[in-house]
Amino acid sequence: MTDHLTFDELNDLADRLLQEPRLTEAQEHVRTCAECAGDLAGLRTTLDDLGSLEGDMAPPGDLWAEVKASIEAGKVASLGADTRPARPGWWMTPGRAAAAALLLIAGSSAATALLLRDVAPPAIAVDSDGGSAGVTWQVAERGYLASVLDLRAQLAAQADKLSPTTIATIERSLATIDVAIAEAREALLRDPANAALPELLASNYRQKIDLLRRATQLASST
Amino acid sequence: MMRPFLSSTVLTLALAVPLTLPAQRKVDVRRAVKPDVYVRLNGAFGDLKVIGWDKDTLVLTGTLPNSARLDPMGVGGSGPPAGGMKFYIEGPSDEGATGSLELRVPFGATVWAKAGSARMDVRAITGGLDLNVIGGMITVTGNPRELNVESMDGSVEVTGSPTWMRVKTATGGVTIEGSSTDVGITTVSGPVVLRGGAYERTRIESVTGDVTFGGAIARSGTLTIDSHSGTITMQFGKTASVDVDATTITGTILNSVTTRRPTPGREGRGAELALSLGTGDARATLRSFKGNIQLQR
């Protein structure tokens, strides 16, 4: 077996869902492939962190102030040097994209909280293109996620004021955006020097925040 | 920006008394107003027509279900022309509302209207418009100074030349026929079509909705289209003068405008294309993650 494990296989391996004979092959591959072993370790760490999340999802006050200022300043990071070796186009398999999306959707709040804690998403280096020196994509993303958390909490508190039809429309659209975020984010992690990806990912995040904001306003005015 | 205030002299009025008619209740409110009156209309109605006219008078007519309650504020029968008026219509359900209203206001009025599921048809307003529905349809015809439209699954159609325009939908489609100095459109999955005259600064963002730009980019203007998976179609006029940068991460680019061929993107996936038409007086940036990009004459 010479090919790397797929994202699905890595997830199944981490979740102990992989069946024989693929299980033995995958375990042997991980023993000899540092890259897949690293990915598997990362997945297991993430799952452990998700499992140990505390009930309180609120972002730290100082972080919220920081990211709010960052958002208001309109900072959008641009990417520079590679920080992770790219495996050509690996994000393109539907299974991986779906798995990533599923992870994001299923853990929308949990993952957001996770990203806001010490366990940050993989860092993506940023250059000073466009005069945004010192601003990292990671910081920008934490800002977006803090906004999402805040708006999600507001919406949840007022959801009973919206009709089921409206809530269904909103949730469908949020799911669509989440899939797009997951796909773009995975691609960005693998190709951080791609100049178009952060713009597309930022666009998706803006869509999510704006939709949540509008839904919250609808609920509060109903 | 459209966040005007109601005049401090606005009167709260005795008309705020619920009327009850057998099945349908007629509405007939008339008031002298300033040419730039600010009007808010909020609540349960199914149809709303807003028409600008050359009289300094506001007239609200139509019918409401007998169970509906209309609370107008600032509608004193006499006195100086009102600078602001507000109507709140309370019904059994915003989304099942059946009331039908027609609002006539001076051309230069600013109108703010919000409903659950409704059809809004606005014509001949040169002031500001701020329209918000969950479902239904919003149609605007004319040249408002500012136009802000928000909808969830309702569609939006604009025919005219708003100076400043923002349209946001979740699943509703957006069709713009005209021109504008400053346009911003965002949609999650609704199709977006812009055509007609010249657009100076335009930014369109979609997640899965297809985007078609068939207008002209004004001299020194900019057009930016970002879509995750929607198809981006750019239709150029014969005299187009624009620099184009097109990038799709995993999709394809079809160039039917010049002989220039797209190059493979990073790591051999997707495609990129930069081309210049005319003297390149304007700039178009087209980006998609997995949608295709089509450049057409």
Side-chain angles (χ1 to χ4, degrees):
Chain A
M1 179 175 161
T2 55
D3 292 336
H4 292 292
L5 298 180
T6 67
F7 190 65
D8 289 337
E9 289 170 333
L10 284 167
N11 274 282
D12 286 349
L13 197 55
D15 292 335
R16 304 177 197 281
L17 296 174
L18 206 56
Q19 303 294 312
E20 294 290 2
R22 188 61 178 154
L23 173 62
T24 301
E25 291 175 351
Q27 287 172 332
E28 287 175 358
H29 178 81
V30 168
R31 274 194 286 275
T32 58
C33 175
E35 195 170 347
C36 285
D39 287 345
L40 181 62
L43 274 174
R44 284 176 170 155
T45 301
T46 302
L47 289 169
D48 290 341
D49 286 327
L50 281 168
S52 61
L53 279 176
E54 295 171 3
D56 182 8
M57 298 298 203
D62 55 344
L63 173 62
W64 173 237
E66 176 189 326
V67 297
K68 190 176 179 186
S70 172
I71 292 168
E72 287 173 352
K75 291 176 180 176
V76 176
S78 59
L79 300 185
D82 239 344
T83 56
R84 280 184 73 163
R87 204 186 291 169
W90 75 265
W91 64 83
M92 285 311 302
T93 62
R96 281 172 170 153
L102 193 61
L103 192 66
L104 191 72
I105 294 166
S108 184
S109 296
T112 302
L114 178 68
L115 292 172
L116 288 167
R117 293 171 57 225
D118 294 334
V119 185
I124 302 167
V126 175
D127 65 15
S128 58
D129 180 37
S132 58
V135 181
T136 64
W137 171 253
Q138 191 176 352
V139 169
E141 186 173 56
R142 284 162 71 97
Y144 288 127
L145 293 170
S147 297
V148 168
L149 258 188
D150 185 59
L151 289 165
R152 270 283 191 191
Q154 290 182 42
L155 184 59
Q158 304 177 82
D160 58 337
K161 296 178 181 174
L162 294 172
S163 73
T165 308
T166 301
I167 291 174
T169 299
I170 293 167
E171 290 298 340
R172 269 199 309 274
S173 291
L174 287 173
T176 299
I177 298 171
D178 282 341
V179 170
I181 287 174
E183 290 179 341
R185 192 170 191 284
E186 288 298 323
L188 185 56
L189 285 170
R190 293 293 167 179
D191 187 10
N194 191 317
L197 281 170
E199 300 288 348
L200 291 165
L201 181 55
S203 172
N204 292 333
Y205 271 121
R206 282 195 298 270
Q207 288 263 10
K208 182 165 185 175
I209 289 169
D210 191 66
L211 184 60
L212 283 168
R213 178 193 60 77
R214 291 198 288 131
T216 304
Q217 288 178 346
L218 276 176
S220 63
S221 65
T222 301
Chain B
M1 293 299 295
M2 254 191 309
R3 284 290 176 266
F5 55 90
L6 287 175
S7 162
S8 59
T9 60
V10 159
L11 303 173
T12 303
L13 175 258
L15 281 177
V17 175
L19 302 177
T20 304
L21 294 178
Q24 291 280 308
R25 161 195 168 190
K26 283 191 176 178
V27 174
D28 192 338
V29 177
R30 294 164 191 268
R31 178 70 160 91
V33 294
K34 294 179 179 176
D36 59 349
V37 62
Y38 175 66
V39 181
R40 287 177 73 100
L41 191 62
N42 183 14
F45 52 83
D47 278 285
L48 173 66
K49 280 187 181 177
V50 180
I51 302 170
W53 63 356
D54 60 353
K55 299 176 182 176
D56 290 343
T57 304
L58 176 147
V59 175
L60 178 67
T61 55
T63 56
L64 290 173
N66 58 8
S67 57
R69 171 191 171 103
L70 171 66
D71 284 349
M73 298 171 69
V75 194
S78 58
M85 294 179 66
K86 185 158 70 173
F87 301 88
Y88 180 69
I89 298 143
E90 186 177 352
S93 165
D94 280 1
E95 293 193 40
T98 58
S100 179
L101 299 169
E102 180 176 299
L103 174 69
R104 289 183 180 266
V105 290
F107 292 128
T110 291
V111 178
W112 183 101
K114 183 173 184 178
S117 185
R119 288 182 295 277
M120 293 187 189
D121 183 2
V122 184
R123 297 169 184 270
I125 297 293
T126 58
L129 292 170
D130 197 335
L131 311 172
N132 193 319
V133 298
I134 295 174
M137 182 175 188
I138 292 177
T139 306
V140 176
T141 306
N143 307 315
R145 184 182 66 253
E146 295 179 345
L147 173 61
N148 188 56
V149 179
E150 296 190 3
S151 158
M152 283 296 173
D153 55 8
S155 60
V156 179
E157 291 184 8
V158 178
T159 305
S161 302
T163 307
W164 180 95
M165 174 166 39
R166 294 290 180 273
V167 180
K168 297 178 179 180
T169 75
T171 62
V174 181
T175 303
I176 313 291
E177 174 97 37
S179 61
S180 181
T181 302
D182 192 334
V183 183
I185 298 172
T186 64
T187 181
V188 177
S189 55
V192 177
V193 178
L194 268 81
R195 55 186 177 229
Y199 297 85
E200 194 169 323
R201 291 184 301 278
T202 306
R203 181 172 187 89
I204 303 169
E205 294 182 318
S206 103
V207 181
T208 62
D210 294 341
V211 179
T212 301
F213 184 89
I217 308 174
R219 188 180 175 83
S220 301
T222 58
L223 166 68
T224 302
I225 302 175
D226 285 335
S227 179
H228 183 74
S229 59
T231 297
I232 298 174
T233 303
M234 182 88 186
Q235 297 168 335
F236 297 94
K238 289 180 180 176
T239 59
S241 181
V242 56
D243 285 339
V244 180
D245 276 313
T247 304
T248 176
I249 306 299
T250 67
T252 61
I253 296 177
L254 178 63
N255 177 17
S256 305
V257 179
T258 68
T259 55
R260 197 179 188 94
R261 302 180 69 176
T263 58
R266 295 169 62 82
E267 300 176 350
R269 286 192 174 274
E272 297 173 357
L273 177 66
L275 59 83
S276 189
L277 300 176
T279 54
D281 297 315
R283 183 168 189 82
T285 304
L286 317 174
R287 290 183 290 242
S288 178
F289 182 80
K290 62 181 182 182
N292 298 329
I293 298 175
Q294 301 175 344
L295 307 180
Q296 305 171 344
R297 280 287 188 192

